């Protein structure tokens, strides 16, 4: 059985594990330095991790721009998927940033990424547009999704 999973703010020492997960999940992974710069130098950045016993299972983050949250990354280690880890992180991210006054959240997702699209739809995101051939490596369209905070989407359920 897994130890309890804790959702907490990401910190610089987490960057090593996070970039390891990036490499497992994305064709254009962000580097360790990119995450360190997010955590230390970008006042608009807000990142959370799911951690159990010192092991990072997943993370998600966004940039706060006025009353909008632009989600940059969401990922979970393959062996820990389908156990609600991404849902727990995203629920906390949406709740905590809504409490800061961020009422609109947006992201881009590969058109063919059915898992992620289903996750976002579960949290009240819907497709608002397409960016043709947005992804350079393994060329693919991006779907632009938005979620507007209101009573119905508040819990994410
Ligand atoms: C997308 C991702 C973050 C989901 O993480 P996860 O921890 O497995 O997600 P959860 O267990 O919280 O699942 C939440 C919901 O997402 C959807 N979902 C997740 N995996 C799915 C799958 N394989 N097939 C269909 N729906 C899926 C379901 O709606 C699920 O709810 P349910 O379990 O009640 O049916 C994970 O698959 C991942 O890291 N993928 C690679 C990175 C990536 O594509 N990130 C998104 C970039 S925009």
């Amino acid at each position: 059985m897994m130890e309890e999973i804790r959702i907490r703010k990401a910190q610089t020492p987490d960057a090593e594990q996070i970039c390891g997960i990036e490499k497992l999940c994305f064709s254009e992974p962000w580097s360790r330095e990119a995450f360190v710069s997010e955590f230390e130098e970008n006042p608009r950045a807000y990142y959370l991790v799911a951690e159990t016993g010192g092991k990072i299972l997943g993370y998600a983050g966004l940039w706060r721009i006025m009353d909008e949250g632009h989600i940059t990354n969401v990922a979970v280690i393959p062996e820990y998927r389908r156990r609600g880890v991404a849902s727990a992180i995203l629920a906390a991210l949406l709740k905590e940033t809504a409490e800061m006054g961020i009422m609109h959240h947006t992201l881009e997702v590969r058109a063919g990424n059915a898992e992620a699209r289903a996750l976002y739809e579960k949290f009240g995101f819907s497709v608002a547009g397409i960016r043709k051939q947005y992804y350079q490596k393994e060329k693919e369209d991006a779907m632009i999704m938005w979620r507007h905070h209101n009573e119905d989407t508040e819990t994410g359920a």
Side-chain angles (χ1 to χ4, degrees):
M1 208 177 114
M2 255 203 299
E3 281 179 60
E4 199 185 330
I5 295 175
R6 198 159 70 96
I7 309 293
R8 59 162 175 80
K9 277 198 80 173
Q11 297 157 354
T12 298
D14 302 325
E16 189 73 46
Q17 288 193 63
I18 289 175
C19 81
I21 301 171
E22 278 280 301
K23 289 191 195 118
L24 293 175
C25 298
F26 299 113
S27 57
E28 296 170 69
W30 287 18
S31 65
R32 193 188 71 84
E33 293 71 27
F35 283 102
V36 170
S37 144
E38 286 286 84
F39 304 156
E40 293 189 354
E41 287 158 33
N42 183 356
R44 299 186 188 284
Y46 193 82
Y47 283 82
L48 296 177
V49 297
E51 179 226 294
T52 183
K55 183 179 172 74
I56 305 232
L57 307 180
Y59 54 92
L62 53 70
W63 290 338
R64 294 172 285 177
I65 300 170
M66 313 288 280
D67 65 347
E68 297 176 358
H70 291 240
I71 296 181
T72 53
N73 327 51
V74 180
V76 171
I77 297 179
E79 305 89 83
Y80 290 88
R81 288 184 191 161
R82 231 45 222 274
R83 300 186 195 184
V85 174
S87 297
I89 303 167
L90 207 49
L93 188 68
L94 293 170
K95 180 170 179 286
E96 289 172 24
T97 57
E99 284 164 5
M100 298 168 191
I102 292 171
M103 292 299 142
H104 312 280
H105 290 84
T106 185
L107 53 85
E108 282 118 15
V109 57
R110 280 181 182 269
N113 191 345
E115 300 94 284
R117 288 179 63 173
L119 167 72
Y120 300 137
E121 276 163 19
K122 186 175 156 188
F123 277 87
F125 284 84
S126 53
V127 173
I130 302 178
R131 281 193 227 286
K132 288 279 174 199
Q133 302 286 296
Y134 176 79
Y135 296 100
Q136 298 300 308
K137 268 196 196 161
E138 298 170 28
K139 280 195 189 308
E140 194 173 355
D141 296 346
M143 311 306 286
I144 303 160
M145 300 183 86
W146 280 91
R147 173 190 192 268
H148 304 287
H149 192 78
N150 61 36
E151 293 297 313
D152 297 337
T153 54
E154 206 152 4
T155 60

